[in-house]
Amino acid sequence: MFTFTEEHRALREVLRDYFADDPSWAGLLSDVGADAILFDRADATPIDVAILAEEAGAALFGGPIVPALLASGCADALGVTERLAPARDGALGVAANVVGAEPVWNAEGGCLILLTGPGSVALLDSADDGVRITALNGLDPTRPLGRVRAGGASAIAALRGPAADSLLAGICPLVELAIAAELLGVAQRVLDGTVEYVRQRVQFGRTIGSFQAVKHRLADLYGAVELARSAVYGAAWGLTAAPADEQTAIDLAIAGALSRDTALTATRAAIQLHGGIAITWEHWAHRYLRRANAVVSLTGSAGGYRSRLADLVDRRDTHHG
């Protein structure tokens, strides 16, 4: 039976306080100690990763959490653990193409770049003369995206063939968990902000939160967020206790689907329940709407995860039938 420990609660509190006050990537690693979560796979658990990603999503943090997970997961197999030291210290950034194709997340000057594809994993240094990074304009300006061209570059390390595919298959579940947790953080934050707003906004002599239609809408959103939270941390516990179990793969597909549906639903509802103010560029609601839609567009839809879930359940039932 999974429950949050005192250490988990303390981690969440520290992260929430840090993200509330002008956070930086280097500070997150050194001041908060998130380097141990992102780069020490033997010590940190998937639950720690989920808490970090959730709080980062709630703050719309644009640092390379997911690329760092990918790079650290590949380090041993590529034999480049020592080369990640500047990234772990925050002196270098980390970039990666999260789903095996462009764009490359957090592709900026001064970074290590992990490029992945079918049968291919390669680690590059942006300082290499053969590396060219072109900034891309994305829907979510809080997360840098870029196009990387490295035709004349010398890779720090590379892996080809089935070994590369096997390596990525082992890392992907943790990356998918982090993305689902980020979307959970987005959904929770917009729900909290919307509840606070409807408690204060007065219309026809009453706070709009007292209107039955608004109450029902928020109750539905609360239920959806809590269901997504159970799915995300159920998957995190599965990856901690039984990472190779078929039920863990099922739980992760459920978390992927519910987190995407919930983030999109909650951010759209926040725009609607805030009324006209929410469509102004000065308001925070549109930034969360952008993050939710950008992540889903870059990492796959809820429908894709439901299709995966159907396949997993069908295989499980066939195997046990």
Side-chain angles (χ1 to χ4, degrees):
M1 182 69 69
F2 167 70
T3 59
F4 289 111
T5 66
E6 287 300 321
E7 288 79 7
H8 292 145
R9 285 186 278 271
L11 172 62
R12 186 180 297 280
E13 183 177 345
V14 168
L15 289 169
R16 189 165 296 178
D17 289 344
Y18 180 74
F19 284 129
D21 186 22
D22 193 24
S24 69
W25 174 242
L28 178 66
L29 296 176
S30 59
D31 299 342
V32 179
D35 61 317
I37 298 175
L38 295 171
F39 293 95
D40 285 342
R41 299 272 32 92
D43 296 329
T45 70
I47 299 167
D48 300 323
V49 170
I51 293 172
L52 171 59
E54 182 189 349
E55 293 302 320
L60 293 183
F61 183 63
I65 288 175
V66 169
L69 285 173
L70 278 163
S72 64
C74 291
D76 286 341
L78 293 176
V80 294
T81 302
E82 294 301 320
R83 294 296 299 268
L84 291 185
R88 178 168 183 156
D89 294 340
L92 278 178
V94 189
N97 54 335
V98 175
V99 292
E102 289 185 342
V104 177
W105 292 25
N106 301 94
E108 301 177 295
C111 67
L112 296 174
I113 304 169
L114 186 75
L115 296 182
T116 65
S120 175
V121 176
L123 185 69
L124 308 170
D125 191 329
S126 66
D128 189 304
D129 290 339
V131 174
R132 296 288 182 269
I133 299 176
T134 303
L136 299 176
N137 293 322
L139 179 63
D140 174 18
T142 65
R143 171 171 280 142
L145 299 175
R147 178 183 296 115
V148 175
R149 292 291 179 264
S154 298
I156 296 172
L159 192 63
R160 308 290 182 190
D165 290 333
S166 178
L167 174 62
L168 291 173
I171 299 169
C172 280
L174 187 63
V175 172
E176 291 182 349
L177 173 69
I179 292 169
E182 177 182 318
L183 290 170
L184 170 63
V186 168
Q188 183 67 67
R189 181 59 58 87
V190 297
L191 175 60
D192 292 343
T194 304
V195 169
E196 184 63 27
Y197 175 75
V198 301
R199 284 174 174 167
Q200 301 175 13
R201 176 74 167 92
V202 175
Q203 192 173 25
F204 306 118
R206 297 168 55 190
T207 58
I208 63 174
S210 66
F211 298 156
Q212 189 175 44
V214 174
K215 287 180 178 179
H216 288 178
R217 187 79 178 276
L218 290 174
D220 289 341
L221 288 176
Y222 175 79
V225 171
E226 287 303 302
L227 187 61
R229 180 177 303 283
S230 295
V232 167
Y233 284 100
W237 174 243
L239 286 175
T240 301
D245 193 271
E246 62 182 357
Q247 184 59 47
T248 298
I250 290 172
D251 291 343
L252 192 58
I254 294 171
L258 289 180
S259 62
R260 283 160 174 77
D261 276 339
T262 303
L264 293 177
T265 300
T267 52
R268 290 166 185 163
I271 297 290
Q272 294 170 350
L273 290 170
H274 276 81
I277 189 176
I279 62 173
T280 63
W281 291 114
E282 294 82 3
H283 200 268
W284 57 262
H286 81 277
R287 294 196 291 273
Y288 284 87
L289 180 72
R290 284 168 171 258
R291 171 62 69 92
N293 279 276
V295 170
V296 172
S297 296
L298 291 171
T299 64
S301 68
Y305 276 87
R306 284 192 288 269
S307 294
R308 182 198 296 185
L309 174 61
D311 290 340
L312 289 168
V313 171
D314 184 57
R315 287 203 296 269
R316 181 198 62 187
D317 292 348
T318 300
H319 175 72
H320 293 294

